[in-house]
Amino acid sequence: MKYTFIYVLLIALLMLDIGITLRKYRDSCGYSQQFVANCLEISRVSYRKWENNEVDFSINQLEKISEFYSIPIDQIIKDSYMVVGYMIKHSSTK
């Protein structure tokens, strides 16, 4: 029974679109990719890959994002899940 929950959680994490959420946070603050990358001590190209979901996010990366935007990791995950839910809902109505 407890393994079922873990598998459901893993599947939910795989469905997250953290990149769109990062873009939303960055745009709402009026930051450039370069500014955020500098603050996170990564290259702009690496940050662009984050926003384009070209990488799998580690806990360390999520912690950096959480600290930078002062948003708890669970809220980042919830916001990312809502983005995916919205996209799935609206793509099925076409």
Side-chain angles (χ1 to χ4, degrees):
M1 187 68 113
K2 69 179 178 181
Y3 294 112
T4 303
F5 174 75
I6 292 171
Y7 290 129
V8 169
L9 181 61
L10 287 174
I11 290 168
L13 287 174
L14 291 173
M15 291 178 58
L16 295 179
D17 194 338
I18 294 175
I20 288 176
T21 302
L22 290 181
R23 174 72 187 262
K24 182 179 75 171
Y25 293 162
R26 183 174 62 77
D27 286 346
S28 71
C29 294
Y31 298 150
S32 67
Q33 284 185 341
Q34 186 65 61
F35 177 78
V36 176
N38 290 346
C39 291
L40 297 176
E41 299 179 339
I42 61 173
S43 71
R44 188 198 58 78
V45 172
S46 293
Y47 184 77
R48 179 190 54 78
K49 288 181 180 182
W50 287 14
E51 282 193 1
N52 291 331
N53 290 308
E54 294 174 10
V55 296
D56 293 325
F57 288 88
S58 69
I59 294 298
N60 290 337
Q61 290 166 324
L62 288 174
E63 285 174 346
K64 282 183 174 185
I65 294 163
S66 172
E67 289 172 11
F68 178 73
Y69 288 110
S70 299
I71 299 173
I73 291 175
D74 66 322
Q75 186 61 49
I76 295 170
I77 291 171
K78 287 175 189 174
D79 290 347
S80 299
Y81 186 73
M82 288 190 305
V83 166
V84 170
Y86 177 84
M87 288 168 44
I88 291 170
K89 180 180 175 185
H90 289 283
S91 66
S92 63
T93 60
K94 292 182 180 180

